[in-house]
Amino acid sequence: SGNSRIVVLNKDYSFNRVIESVIENEAQIPLTDAKGIYVDTNKTIYIAFEGIDGSGKSVQFKLLKETLINKGKAVGVLDFPDYDSFFGKEIGRLLSGKDKVTAADLDPRSMSLWYAADRWNAFKSFDDSQYEIVLMNRSTMANAAYQGTRSEDAEALAQWIYELEFTTFGIPKPDVFFVFDIPTSLSRKNVAKKGFRGYVGDDADVYEKDVAFLEKVRNCYLSCAKLYPGSVVLNCADESEEMRPMDEI
């Protein structure tokens, strides 16, 4: 309506093809099936980067930010959890496994509330009107994937989290979810290369240490991609289960 422009994207387009379409504000790209991505380019566009730990999303996040800025776009960035915030510090403590109660001990809904509250807190003071595009390093889908893995009914919890964050807390819905998919064996190798991180030091967190759990999270991400509108799954590993080149992804 009005001057709004809608970009219609096929879910199978490559990462670059989707981004180019958003940047250039293309009016329409024909669909080959009923599941497309509809982006209103008359408002701030939210793009979320999702995937299990070590999937390379942070690298692509940085590259896209630089590309958009070089193209003259006003870009905002949000990184979750925010380990410097009130809620983020608690999440970090729970993930570190250093206290008696850890993230693995809390029930899924209770743990998901910490992540949702962390996003709610960040958006209280975030003014997106000054940005054309906002990049989110993890968002609501991460909450659904990680906590859904620990639930008896992952789909029901994913829908509950969707309502919690987007409806009850009023957190903006990403227009596009990029899900960076890799095998868990590759995830483990990449996490080992991360080095020091403030909330766990040089160690892996309680989720990263559990290979079986990560495999379930990966599968839950793929399920969430079917539930959440605007999802694009990117295969980031080659046939030998090594990372594909950054420019190829």
Side-chain angles (χ1 to χ4, degrees):
S1 62
N3 295 321
S4 296
R5 301 187 67 190
I6 302 297
V7 179
V8 183
L9 303 167
N10 182 277
K11 65 175 182 175
D12 295 322
Y13 275 118
S14 67
F15 178 77
N16 282 343
R17 188 71 184 96
V18 174
I19 294 304
E20 287 169 4
S21 301
V22 172
I23 292 174
E24 301 302 328
N25 289 347
E26 292 184 13
Q28 187 175 47
I29 301 173
L31 290 170
T32 59
D33 62 27
K35 294 182 178 179
I37 301 169
Y38 297 80
V39 180
D40 182 351
T41 59
N42 197 49
K43 69 174 185 63
T44 301
I45 297 169
Y46 279 84
I47 301 175
F49 284 62
E50 300 287 357
I52 63 174
D53 300 282
S55 59
K57 58 188 177 298
S58 295
V59 173
Q60 296 293 339
F61 184 93
K62 180 180 178 181
L63 290 174
L64 179 56
K65 175 187 173 183
E66 294 172 352
T67 298
L68 292 171
I69 291 174
N70 290 337
K71 288 182 176 290
K73 298 292 182 180
V75 181
V77 296
L78 292 165
D79 202 338
F80 296 110
D82 177 4
Y83 291 113
D84 292 324
S85 74
F86 175 85
F87 296 105
K89 287 178 181 177
E90 181 66 15
I91 292 169
R93 185 182 68 81
L94 289 165
L95 288 174
S96 72
K98 296 177 181 177
D99 292 343
K100 185 176 181 179
V101 177
T102 74
D105 299 318
L106 290 185
D107 69 273
R109 289 199 179 200
S110 295
M111 192 64 203
S112 67
L113 283 168
W114 284 106
Y115 287 101
D118 183 48
R119 264 181 288 282
W120 168 79
N121 185 60
F123 277 105
K124 282 198 307 179
S125 57
F126 185 77
D127 179 14
D128 69 3
S129 64
Q130 59 186 308
Y131 304 115
E132 294 171 86
I133 299 172
V134 174
L135 305 180
M136 301 173 68
N137 191 359
R138 286 227 168 114
S139 67
T140 303
M141 187 184 286
N143 204 0
Y146 276 83
Q147 302 314 314
T149 298
R150 304 170 56 232
S151 172
E152 293 182 359
D153 191 337
E155 183 173 335
L157 183 63
Q159 292 172 339
W160 182 82
I161 290 173
Y162 191 95
E163 182 178 354
L164 169 69
E165 297 209 18
F166 298 141
T167 303
T168 303
F169 281 174
I171 295 167
K173 295 179 185 177
D175 297 282
V176 181
F177 293 92
F178 283 119
V179 181
F180 293 79
D181 182 47
I182 61 170
T184 51
S185 58
L186 184 53
S187 167
R188 295 273 291 177
K189 288 196 292 185
N190 290 343
V191 167
K193 299 175 185 176
K194 284 189 174 183
F196 183 86
R197 290 174 291 169
Y199 73 106
V200 287
D202 293 315
D203 200 5
D205 67 37
V206 295
Y207 289 163
E208 294 167 343
K209 289 177 179 178
D210 190 335
V211 179
F213 175 77
L214 280 180
E215 182 62 33
K216 291 178 182 178
V217 173
R218 180 193 181 190
N219 291 330
C220 203
Y221 255 126
L222 297 177
S223 297
C224 285
K226 297 176 182 178
L227 290 174
Y228 284 25
S231 298
V232 179
V233 177
L234 302 168
N235 180 13
C236 300
D238 60 23
E239 294 180 356
S240 61
E241 296 195 349
E242 295 295 335
M243 289 296 293
R244 290 164 55 193
M246 289 187 296
D247 55 347
E248 186 178 314
I249 295 172

